[in-house]
Amino acid sequence: MRVTSSLRWKIALTTTAVCCAVAAVLGILVHNVVARQIVGEVRKDADRELDHALGHYQYGTTHGDVNSSLNPPGLPPPLRALVARGLTGSMVGERAGKPVMWAAGPADDQALAVWIPYESTRTRLRDIDTAILASSLLAAGVVALAGLFLANRISRRLARTAAVARRISAGDLDARVGLPEEGQDPRRPRYRDEVRDVAQALDSMAASLQKRLEAEKRFTADVAHELRTPLTGSLAAAALLPEGRPKEMINDRLKALHLLTEDLLEISRLDSGVEQADLARVELGRAVRRAVTATGLSAEVEVVRDAVVLTDRRRLDRILSNLLVNADKHGRPPIEVTVEGPVVAVRDHGPGYPSQLIEQGPQRFRTGDPGRGRGHGLGLTIVVGQAAVLDITLTFANAPDGGAVTTLRLPVGRLTDGS
């Protein structure tokens, strides 16, 4: 949610910033145009008054306006210098501490100047600037709210899509975003919607992935069930063969095929989601020692700190047995099993797990044989399935000094009153 909130505010702030920039540029342009027009009108009035004053001065008559004088003391120096060059001009200045518009021209080597009040003009310009600023702030606020609404709508749809993607990653292949396709909702106009495209692509990917996984599960279950009946008959027929090397070889192959069939049936049951754990409080150290002894493999067990965990001992034995067989088959001794609280680590000193297994997890129907692909067969696939049933956190990694390390974190069993 933090990412989508950040995206929402980024869109809103970006929209507001663009609106403020546009409002500032337009405000400056409007201010310059209006100010030029208003000041130009005042300047024309001052120039007209100056023409009248120069005309009266030329004919030796009185202008009749007290706002004119020869060489007035408040005449701005730039305007006085302009008159000294024989030119006329006007500019804003002050007289007696009040703003006025000056206009001056040459009259017998003197400067004849007129002035008209400028305070009302300055107030008018200030009011226009206030109106422009208020309008800009109002527009920015409206655009910010609109941008926030739009960004919130986009972010909620993205958050919904991300939540569905996480559910799919967690194994819920029935999860869908469910946004209507273009043209399905008559209330919505037809336009390109990239968020909807992403959501529909996710739904399509999930549906395709679900179909493939369901087909793989059905294939696994069908193969296991179809093999079980003829395999049972083959085992019974092999028992009737005369003793000797051929019978031993046939029995070995049939037993291997029987174990493979049982593994496939177990995987199909785990895939179906019908497996239920028979949970009980178990002393983990004792359970691990018993499971290691039952495999008959050479492994060192070290109980650093014992703990009582809530688990199904039969399924836990199955997990540990598969891990030990895998370590014995693909790794090198010594095989070490460490119990530290509710955490069990199984380690060998072989070449370690392939990087693909660490990143993607075990993949069924793959072995360590380079000619048949990479992986570790069905044993680790069953480990993952049984761990999911027992709510065990499973981690595959390689030790820094070599060897595969599998870590199991089990739920801790808590005693209740009356138990």
Side-chain angles (χ1 to χ4, degrees):
M1 193 63 182
R2 183 179 301 174
V3 176
T4 55
S5 298
S6 176
L7 176 63
R8 178 171 65 242
W9 286 109
K10 283 180 180 179
I11 295 177
L13 292 176
T14 301
T15 306
T16 304
V18 172
C19 176
C20 291
V22 173
V25 173
L26 292 178
I28 293 174
L29 292 176
V30 171
H31 168 81
N32 290 337
V33 171
V34 174
R36 190 179 298 112
Q37 181 180 359
I38 294 176
V39 174
E41 293 175 357
V42 178
R43 196 181 300 276
K44 287 181 180 179
D45 292 340
D47 291 340
R48 186 166 51 250
E49 291 292 329
L50 177 62
D51 290 340
H52 290 167
L54 289 174
H56 285 284
Y57 180 83
Q58 184 177 2
Y59 290 104
T61 60
T62 303
H63 181 222
D65 190 349
V66 297
N67 292 339
S68 63
S69 175
L70 287 173
N71 296 322
L75 185 65
L79 195 56
R80 190 182 298 275
L82 186 67
V83 173
R85 297 199 301 270
L87 302 175
T88 60
S90 59
M91 67 176 296
V92 177
E94 290 187 357
R95 185 177 184 277
K98 295 182 178 180
V100 296
M101 174 66 76
W102 288 95
D108 295 336
D109 297 330
Q110 299 185 75
L112 178 62
V114 298
W115 59 91
I116 58 177
Y118 192 75
E119 180 66 30
S120 61
T121 302
R122 180 170 290 179
T123 301
R124 184 179 175 188
L125 291 174
R126 191 179 298 114
D127 292 341
I128 291 175
D129 290 342
T130 302
I132 292 174
L133 180 60
S135 300
S136 300
L137 292 177
L138 179 61
V142 172
V143 171
L145 291 177
L148 185 60
F149 171 77
L150 178 62
N152 184 60
R153 185 180 176 189
I154 294 174
S155 67
R156 280 191 288 108
R157 297 168 74 192
L158 288 176
R160 179 179 172 184
T161 303
V164 171
R166 286 191 290 269
R167 288 173 57 189
I168 293 174
S169 299
D172 184 6
L173 298 181
D174 292 325
R176 297 290 187 273
V177 181
L179 294 181
E181 295 184 3
E182 184 178 357
Q184 288 186 351
D185 192 347
R187 297 172 300 176
R188 298 176 182 269
R190 294 188 177 184
Y191 59 90
R192 182 158 187 83
D193 188 343
E194 288 78 5
V195 177
R196 182 181 56 204
D197 292 344
V198 172
Q200 291 173 356
L202 179 63
D203 286 350
S204 176
M205 180 199 68
S208 176
L209 180 61
Q210 186 177 31
K211 289 180 181 178
R212 293 191 179 188
L213 290 178
E214 290 296 335
E216 182 177 320
K217 291 177 183 179
R218 286 194 300 270
F219 173 78
T220 302
D222 293 344
V223 167
H225 283 288
E226 292 296 329
L227 285 176
R228 198 172 199 180
T229 300
L231 181 58
T232 302
S234 299
L235 286 171
L240 301 177
L241 294 175
E243 298 296 333
R245 182 59 180 167
K247 180 179 179 178
E248 294 179 1
M249 295 177 61
I250 292 175
N251 282 333
D252 288 342
R253 295 298 90 196
L254 288 176
K255 288 179 181 179
L257 186 58
H258 175 71
L259 292 176
L260 175 60
T261 304
E262 293 300 322
D263 286 347
L264 290 175
L265 285 171
E266 184 174 357
I267 288 176
S268 67
R269 291 194 300 270
L270 292 171
D271 287 341
S272 65
V274 299
E275 292 288 281
Q276 298 292 330
D278 184 12
L279 298 178
R281 290 185 296 277
V282 176
E283 292 183 12
L284 187 57
R286 180 183 299 179
V288 170
R289 291 184 187 276
R290 186 179 304 164
V292 172
T293 302
T295 62
L297 299 175
S298 176
E300 302 175 3
V301 179
E302 179 183 4
V303 179
V304 178
R305 178 168 56 88
D306 206 349
V308 176
V309 296
L310 192 64
T311 189
D312 185 330
R313 199 176 71 180
R314 181 181 62 84
R315 296 181 187 275
L316 180 61
D317 289 348
R318 177 67 163 153
I319 292 173
L320 293 173
S321 173
N322 281 16
L323 290 177
L324 291 170
V325 170
N326 182 80
D328 181 71
K329 182 177 180 180
H330 298 283
R332 285 195 294 268
I335 301 174
E336 301 171 350
V337 182
T338 305
V339 178
E340 187 169 358
V343 179
V344 180
V346 179
R347 177 191 175 180
D348 62 54
H349 289 75
Y353 287 126
S355 58
Q356 184 180 13
L357 185 144
I358 296 175
E359 296 171 0
Q360 302 178 7
Q363 300 182 42
R364 64 188 65 178
F365 307 125
R366 295 191 179 184
T367 69
D369 184 359
R372 298 172 57 193
R374 294 172 294 177
H376 283 70
L378 297 178
L380 294 185
T381 304
I382 294 174
V383 167
V384 173
Q386 294 289 7
V389 174
L390 297 180
D391 197 22
I392 295 176
T393 302
L394 194 63
T395 304
F396 298 99
N398 289 327
D401 55 346
V405 181
T406 307
T407 305
L408 299 86
R409 181 175 294 274
L410 289 82
V412 178
R414 289 185 173 84
L415 294 175
T416 59
D417 294 339
S419 61

